[in-house]
Amino acid sequence: MNKLTRDQMAERVARDIPEGSYVNLGIGLPTKVANYLPKDREIFLHSENGLLGMGPAPAPGEEDPELINAGKEPVTLLDGGCFFHHGDSFAMMRGGHLDICVLGAFQVSKKGDLANWHTGAPDAIPAVGGAMDLAIGAKKVFVMMDHLTKSGECKIVERCGYPVTGIDCVDRIYTDLAVIDVTPDGLVVLEMVEGLDFDELQRLTPVPLTLAA
Amino acid sequence: MNKLTRDQMAERVARDIPEGSYVNLGIGLPTKVANYLPKDREIFLHSENGLLGMGPAPAPGEEDPELINAGKEPVTLLDGGCFFHHGDSFAMMRGGHLDICVLGAFQVSKKGDLANWHTGAPDAIPAVGGAMDLAIGAKKVFVMMDHLTKSGECKIVERCGYPVTGIDCVDRIYTDLAVIDVTPDGLVVLEMVEGLDFDELQRLTPVPLTLAA
Amino acid sequence: MIDKTVASLEEAVAGIFDGATVMIGGFGTAGQPAELIDALIAQGAKDLTIVNNNAGNGEIGLAALLKARRVKKIICSFPRQADSHVFDALYRAGEIQLELVPQGNLAARIQAAGAGLGAIFTPTGYGTLLAEGKETREIDGKHYVLEYPIKADFALIKALQGDRWGNLVYRKTARNFGPIMAAAAATTIAQVSEIVPLGALDPEVIVTPGIFVQRVVAVSGAASARVA
Amino acid sequence: MIDKTVASLEEAVAGIFDGATVMIGGFGTAGQPAELIDALIAQGAKDLTIVNNNAGNGEIGLAALLKARRVKKIICSFPRQADSHVFDALYRAGEIQLELVPQGNLAARIQAAGAGLGAIFTPTGYGTLLAEGKETREIDGKHYVLEYPIKADFALIKALQGDRWGNLVYRKTARNFGPIMAAAAATTIAQVSEIVPLGALDPEVIVTPGIFVQRVVAVSGAASARVA
């Protein structure tokens, strides 16, 4: 089968973001989605550190250490963008004003619990940032992750083994193998990569899947 | 005895407002205090409808219907003043950022309960505005009122007969007869008008007073 | 291209349904979106719950909406004013419900809705008639009342300038409830004196980011400063 | 005449006492008041509780304060970063306490302190390790955690311009926690790139009104934009 590359995953997610959406792209893999947003759609990117209308990375030499994104990388601001303080920024998230947020994950449970902030290892230094706010705040939470860990375990699980970031919060999962909706009736497969059939996907995934009608 | 006029009361209160204070002057009688603030002191006047650094009334013809005070009268803004929304304005009050607020009152109890928003009459249409926020928010709450009602009843009482605005919130009472602190040990008379002696003030006031040392 | 500007007041208030909760900006007439209210009266929605600081002045704006008998309930802090006779008469006749809220609790509850909080403990009103029956708690030696968010289906607000993304700036004390209501309503409709090109508003001084605004309509600039 | 400007960084941080809770603005280095932190290190206060989004980067600013062993406890959302080795080592050695707070709850708790709320029900963190042992409640079908305000004795923040009344404006994403920390601290100390005459800041665009600011100190303009 043709597993999606990380860029292909980002491109796939980007396709599902409608014009006019207010979107937060999490640190890491989700950041790549910005590269694939169709140029003919106006989409509003939010960054937790107080900007809306975030533009692409600046040209080399044009970086401004006071114009950064949540990953602390230099960015730009589009015409029509604006700045605000952290209280307002997280009110946007917590208050349900973002249409979509895209997050990376260690695991997603069949009920839509998300684990993406902490491995739970006893010697790990925990850091949560805005992950828990994003998980519960946006109207739709999209997760992007590999379907399997490097050692071959499925990241879609019955119950999260890692400490959760939010309960019952994921709406859709984009993996390198499939696009899967989390619904009240369970996980519904919308798409699979070329060369993958449903039985094989189900074999790899330890929770019941159904195929979208 | 020489009862203070309303202007004399306002002048007396103004004397107790130190330079640099953030002050909210309630609607009605307290508004007059602004007229007597010493010109050599910088004092910051706050208005609940979203301004700090309020200046005097504008010259006739210079009124701006979008530059008003809590009483909806036209005002001006000093250099260094600013505008903000209602959330921020009441955060200033509730968060204890105002040094002093000056309020009118129907009654003040010996414990410092304030009644100034509602007569409790069954046919009265209640209206509270910012009174309850001011009563509990400012670091010091000064009340300005006549000592006696027109029918001769004292407005300083054992327990408020009118519905209260706030509990245990008044710090100092300025009447046309005296200046009285509300302390954990009871009401302490700081000043009396010329021609009034303590026994006479106590006779007019149905709760125990002591004279400041 | 996203363009939140609409061409007419009629279009601006389209879809406001019977029984909706509608926040209306303004402190007295400053910041009151008088033209949007007139359009709402013409539009005809009824059984409305209105959230405003006051309950109308004179016979225009909010008072005219009340007079047209479109309002079932009003949530406000200061209904009784020298010129609130329309409200006064309806209230005395038992024809309008009143939920009286201290002004700072009104603001805080609107903010809580916009910020997604479930409830807040506020000190304002503790021990008073307006906290009767409400849950209270002592925290660090101080007494608080539990208050719940006030959300709205629509907010009608007035700003000075807006752009096609819905960014807004206000004028002087007409700002008042506008920014916090914009964040608390599912659909926020702003009347502005001027629609400016995208990028014309300084990103440092935009008061209401467009994320909180769904429709922007221009009214004549002169209207912005008049005593509505 | 009220003049909140002070002539030196030393004067700016005077009186910060051992055991104080000190909020420090910034998201990473953007908005971090590096010069004030250096002055605090020189001043010598110890056993501090620090409130910041992060736990220091590299060896400068907040990291240098940690390295100087002045910090007993840090309240933050994201301590672990590529260059947070100073914190990491202290934490692993058990020499610093960490209260980890989701970033939005950190912001909301700071705001609650500034706004005088007793506590707030927030949805963030419900059902997670970071809500363990905390009171929860279901409101309108949604689950919330009760969180308390975070107040501070001092806040050290960085702004672009300030005036003698303490009014502040910020620059781009260096604004972040500055305005909400200013409101939550008993004494707020702002370093600015430029002190401007009273009235030079447009009253419509002042972000932090002077009521929230007690001291303002100018640092060289160049420092404002450098990667501190």
Side-chain angles (χ1 to χ4, degrees):
Chain A
M1 64 192 151
N2 297 320
K3 282 193 183 186
L4 299 188
T5 64
R6 297 169 82 76
D7 278 290
Q8 285 170 326
M9 286 169 67
E11 191 177 1
R12 179 63 195 81
V13 172
R15 233 187 294 151
D16 285 355
I17 300 181
E19 174 149 46
S21 300
Y22 290 90
V23 180
N24 187 299
L25 301 175
I27 295 177
L29 182 53
T31 303
K32 276 189 183 290
V33 173
N35 302 336
Y36 296 99
L37 294 173
K39 297 283 175 272
D40 60 344
R41 288 187 206 159
E42 282 192 331
I43 288 165
F44 308 104
L45 295 182
H46 171 266
S47 185
E48 68 190 22
N49 56 318
L51 75 165
L52 192 62
M54 184 166 59
E62 299 292 307
E63 298 89 351
D64 181 336
E66 293 189 339
L67 181 45
I68 60 174
N69 65 14
K72 288 152 191 160
E73 302 153 333
V75 294
T76 54
L77 189 76
L78 302 179
D79 274 356
C82 61
F83 302 108
F84 34 83
H85 64 54
H86 251 78
D88 286 343
S89 185
F90 280 80
M92 287 180 196
M93 293 156 69
R94 197 191 308 110
H97 303 283
L98 295 177
D99 295 298
I100 295 170
C101 93
V102 185
L103 295 171
F106 300 146
Q107 291 177 327
V108 176
S109 83
K110 66 174 182 183
K111 295 197 57 183
D113 296 351
L114 170 68
N116 79 345
W117 74 283
H118 191 15
T119 62
D123 66 335
I125 295 179
V128 65
M132 290 185 179
D133 302 277
L134 282 167
I136 57 86
K139 291 193 187 92
K140 295 276 173 201
V141 172
F142 291 173
V143 161
M144 284 175 82
M145 62 181 187
D146 290 333
H147 205 89
L148 306 175
T149 65
K150 279 175 189 137
S151 54
E153 287 146 33
C154 189
K155 297 173 77 168
I156 300 173
V157 294
E158 179 75 22
R159 285 174 64 94
C160 291
Y162 294 115
V164 297
T165 310
I167 299 265
D168 217 357
C169 58
V170 176
D171 294 280
R172 184 173 286 181
I173 308 167
Y174 295 83
T175 78
D176 51 350
L177 299 185
V179 180
I180 299 171
D181 266 354
V182 182
T183 80
D185 301 325
L187 299 179
V188 177
V189 179
L190 304 180
E191 290 177 23
M192 290 171 288
V193 295
E194 224 179 85
L196 177 66
D197 67 22
F198 180 76
D199 289 347
E200 175 66 4
L201 182 68
Q202 180 65 81
R203 198 188 59 77
L204 293 169
T205 310
V207 296
L209 304 173
T210 55
L211 203 54
Chain B
M1 62 192 154
N2 297 321
K3 283 191 183 187
L4 299 188
T5 65
R6 297 169 83 75
D7 280 288
Q8 286 169 325
M9 287 168 67
E11 190 176 3
R12 178 64 195 82
V13 173
R15 233 188 294 153
D16 284 355
I17 299 181
E19 175 149 46
S21 301
Y22 291 90
V23 179
N24 187 300
L25 301 175
I27 295 177
L29 182 52
T31 303
K32 275 189 183 291
V33 173
N35 301 336
Y36 296 98
L37 293 173
K39 297 283 174 275
D40 60 343
R41 289 186 206 160
E42 281 192 333
I43 288 164
F44 307 105
L45 295 182
H46 171 267
S47 186
E48 67 190 21
N49 55 318
L51 75 164
L52 192 62
M54 184 165 61
E62 299 292 307
E63 298 88 352
D64 182 337
E66 293 189 336
L67 181 46
I68 60 174
N69 66 12
K72 288 154 191 157
E73 301 153 335
V75 294
T76 53
L77 190 76
L78 302 179
D79 274 355
C82 61
F83 302 108
F84 34 83
H85 63 55
H86 251 78
D88 286 343
S89 186
F90 280 80
M92 287 179 196
M93 292 155 69
R94 196 191 309 109
H97 303 283
L98 296 176
D99 296 297
I100 294 169
C101 93
V102 185
L103 296 171
F106 300 147
Q107 290 178 327
V108 176
S109 83
K110 66 174 181 184
K111 295 198 57 182
D113 297 350
L114 169 69
N116 78 346
W117 75 282
H118 190 18
T119 62
D123 66 335
I125 295 179
V128 65
M132 289 184 180
D133 302 277
L134 282 167
I136 57 87
K139 292 193 188 93
K140 295 277 173 199
V141 173
F142 291 173
V143 161
M144 285 175 81
M145 62 182 187
D146 289 333
H147 204 91
L148 305 175
T149 64
K150 280 178 189 134
S151 55
E153 287 144 33
C154 190
K155 297 173 77 169
I156 300 172
V157 294
E158 180 77 22
R159 284 173 65 93
C160 291
Y162 294 115
V164 297
T165 310
I167 299 264
D168 219 356
C169 58
V170 175
D171 294 280
R172 184 173 286 181
I173 307 166
Y174 295 83
T175 78
D176 51 350
L177 299 184
V179 180
I180 300 171
D181 267 353
V182 182
T183 81
D185 300 325
L187 300 178
V188 177
V189 178
L190 304 179
E191 290 178 23
M192 290 172 287
V193 295
E194 223 179 87
L196 177 65
D197 67 23
F198 179 76
D199 290 347
E200 175 65 3
L201 182 66
Q202 180 65 82
R203 198 187 60 77
L204 292 170
T205 310
V207 296
L209 304 174
T210 55
L211 202 53
Chain C
M1 194 180 98
I2 295 301
D3 187 356
K4 298 183 181 179
T5 65
V6 296
S8 69
L9 287 158
E10 291 65 30
E11 203 180 329
V13 300
I16 298 183
F17 48 85
D18 292 352
T21 295
V22 181
M23 291 180 172
I24 300 182
F27 181 86
T29 56
Q32 186 175 110
E35 286 78 359
L36 282 174
I37 298 170
D38 288 345
L40 176 58
I41 295 170
Q43 190 258 21
K46 59 182 192 298
D47 296 326
L48 301 172
T49 295
I50 297 294
V51 182
N52 182 263
N53 188 56
N54 303 106
N57 303 78
E59 304 259 335
I60 53 162
L62 179 51
L65 185 71
L66 297 186
K67 196 171 181 184
R69 306 286 177 120
R70 303 292 173 69
V71 181
K72 180 180 63 183
K73 178 179 176 181
I74 189 156
I75 301 174
C76 72
S77 87
F78 208 76
R80 189 197 61 222
Q81 300 182 268
D83 56 354
S84 62
H85 51 270
V86 172
F87 170 81
D88 298 359
L90 288 168
Y91 181 78
R92 291 190 196 284
E95 289 174 3
I96 192 166
Q97 300 167 45
L98 169 66
E99 180 180 345
L100 189 71
V101 181
Q103 194 172 170
N105 285 355
L106 186 64
R109 292 173 63 189
I110 292 169
Q111 286 189 290
L117 300 178
I120 54 174
F121 279 106
T122 165
T124 302
Y126 176 79
T128 76
L129 275 180
L130 299 187
E132 269 187 353
K134 296 189 175 182
E135 181 176 340
T136 61
R137 190 178 295 199
E138 187 174 338
I139 300 170
D140 270 345
K142 200 167 163 177
H143 295 277
Y144 297 88
V145 183
L146 188 67
E147 294 280 0
Y148 293 91
I150 302 175
K151 295 171 193 167
D153 300 301
F154 298 90
L156 309 183
I157 64 172
K158 173 170 154 177
L160 179 65
Q161 295 174 310
D163 64 26
R164 67 176 174 85
W165 281 7
N167 294 305
L168 302 176
V169 296
Y170 300 82
R171 184 170 177 278
K172 301 188 180 180
T173 57
R175 183 182 306 194
N176 58 66
F177 283 91
I180 64 174
M181 288 182 170
T187 300
T188 292
I189 306 161
Q191 68 170 63
V192 298
S193 300
E194 189 188 6
I195 291 169
V196 298
L198 204 66
L201 299 176
D202 179 346
E204 298 283 4
V205 313
I206 287 170
V207 173
T208 295
I211 190 171
F212 297 128
V213 179
Q214 283 67 45
R215 303 176 198 164
V216 179
V217 63
V219 298
S220 82
S224 165
R226 80 179 161 98
V227 186
Chain D
M1 194 180 95
I2 295 301
D3 188 356
K4 298 182 180 180
T5 65
V6 297
S8 68
L9 287 158
E10 291 66 29
E11 202 179 330
V13 298
I16 298 182
F17 48 85
D18 293 353
T21 295
V22 182
M23 292 180 173
I24 300 183
F27 181 86
T29 55
Q32 189 175 110
E35 286 79 359
L36 282 174
I37 298 171
D38 288 345
L40 177 58
I41 294 170
Q43 190 257 23
K46 58 182 192 300
D47 296 325
L48 301 172
T49 294
I50 297 294
V51 183
N52 183 264
N53 188 56
N54 303 107
N57 303 78
E59 304 259 335
I60 54 163
L62 179 51
L65 185 70
L66 297 186
K67 197 172 180 182
R69 307 283 178 122
R70 302 294 172 68
V71 181
K72 180 180 63 181
K73 177 179 177 183
I74 188 156
I75 301 174
C76 72
S77 87
F78 207 75
R80 189 197 61 222
Q81 299 181 269
D83 57 354
S84 61
H85 50 269
V86 172
F87 170 80
D88 297 0
L90 288 168
Y91 181 77
R92 290 190 197 284
E95 289 174 3
I96 191 165
Q97 300 167 44
L98 169 66
E99 180 179 345
L100 189 72
V101 181
Q103 195 172 167
N105 284 355
L106 186 65
R109 292 172 62 188
I110 293 169
Q111 285 189 290
L117 299 178
I120 53 173
F121 279 106
T122 165
T124 302
Y126 175 78
T128 75
L129 275 180
L130 299 187
E132 269 186 354
K134 295 188 175 183
E135 180 175 341
T136 62
R137 190 177 293 199
E138 187 175 337
I139 300 169
D140 269 346
K142 200 168 164 177
H143 295 277
Y144 297 88
V145 182
L146 188 67
E147 294 280 0
Y148 292 90
I150 301 175
K151 294 171 194 167
D153 300 301
F154 297 89
L156 309 183
I157 63 173
K158 173 171 154 178
L160 178 65
Q161 294 174 311
D163 64 27
R164 67 176 173 85
W165 281 8
N167 294 305
L168 303 176
V169 296
Y170 300 83
R171 185 171 176 277
K172 301 188 179 179
T173 57
R175 185 184 304 195
N176 59 66
F177 283 92
I180 64 174
M181 287 181 170
T187 299
T188 292
I189 305 162
Q191 68 170 65
V192 299
S193 300
E194 189 188 5
I195 290 169
V196 299
L198 203 66
L201 299 176
D202 179 348
E204 298 282 4
V205 313
I206 287 170
V207 173
T208 295
I211 190 171
F212 297 128
V213 178
Q214 282 67 45
R215 303 176 198 165
V216 179
V217 63
V219 298
S220 83
S224 165
R226 80 177 161 100
V227 186

